Each structure stands twice: as structure tokens, then as C-alpha cells.
Amino acid sequence: MAEPTTVARPYAEAVFKLAHAEHSLGKWSEALSALALVAQDARVRALVADPNRPDSEVAHFFISILPGALGKEGENLVRVLTENKRLGLLSEIRAQYEMLKDASEGVVEAQLMSAFEL
């Protein structure tokens, strides 16, 4: 079975390319953060894991929790992830998207160490 990082990468790259082309990196960052937060809830995970729930119902549930926050493309991402049983990758997709976004904006994460308390 493939690692979650490997499986999430194409989704993160596709979202990044779309967001970059539309000059909406911040909007997508917020949407992915919200989706990842919803996906972490235990009740939502139970709903997603229920084999008796149709994919369309699960996707509609996600979209209805965040009305208007996702836009048409975000809703389409939810549908694709649902159909491919990949909603559990939302946190990893968000993390990889943020790395791509930071790199494109020239953001570098640094760690400061000091011999004296600051």
C-alpha cells in the first residue's frame, strides 16, 4: 500500500496549480484547513467509513458543513476525494499544499537558538 504522502502529493500539486493560476493561494489555504479540520472529527470519520453511505451523501455532508467556503472547485475536490476514498488524506494534502505555497511565496521556516533567554 502506498504511503499517504505519496498518494496525497498529486492532489496537493493539482490544487496548488489551480490556486496559483487563479491567484487564490490564501483562499485555498483556508479551505483546505477547514476541510482537514472537519475530516479529523471522530463523528465525521465514522460517517466516511460507513460502507452503507453513498459517496454522494458523504460529499454533500462535507460541502454542507462549509457552505460557500469551498467554491465550485473546492466542492469538486471533495467529490473526487470521496469517490476515490481519499477524504482521510485531507490533512496530508493540506500540509503538502502549504509547503508548495510557502515555497512559491519565498517563505522559509527558521529555528532560532539562543544561548540566552529571549
Side-chain angles (χ1 to χ4, degrees):
M1 181 173 212
E3 291 291 320
T5 302
T6 304
V7 178
R9 184 174 297 117
Y11 294 103
E13 289 173 350
V15 170
F16 175 77
K17 287 178 186 175
L18 176 66
H20 192 267
E22 294 180 345
H23 305 288
S24 59
L25 293 172
K27 175 188 153 230
W28 273 98
S29 184
E30 291 173 11
L32 287 172
S33 292
L35 283 169
L37 186 63
V38 169
Q40 291 174 358
D41 185 273
R43 296 167 294 187
V44 173
R45 285 195 314 249
L47 176 107
V48 170
D50 183 352
N52 297 320
R53 297 235 184 241
D55 292 342
S56 59
E57 186 179 321
V58 174
H60 177 73
F61 176 76
F62 262 82
I63 293 166
S64 69
I65 288 177
L66 304 164
L70 303 177
K72 186 176 180 179
E73 293 87 359
E75 291 177 6
N76 188 45
L77 174 65
V78 170
R79 288 185 190 96
V80 168
L81 291 173
T82 303
E83 290 169 7
N84 292 306
K85 309 296 186 217
R86 304 283 193 223
L87 282 172
L89 293 175
L90 278 165
S91 291
E92 183 61 33
I93 293 169
R94 184 200 61 78
Q96 289 191 31
Y97 171 84
E98 290 299 325
M99 289 188 326
L100 293 167
K101 178 179 168 281
D102 287 349
S104 77
E105 293 175 338
V107 174
V108 178
E109 188 173 318
Q111 185 176 31
L112 177 65
M113 295 174 68
S114 173
F116 304 100
E117 187 174 336
L118 298 176

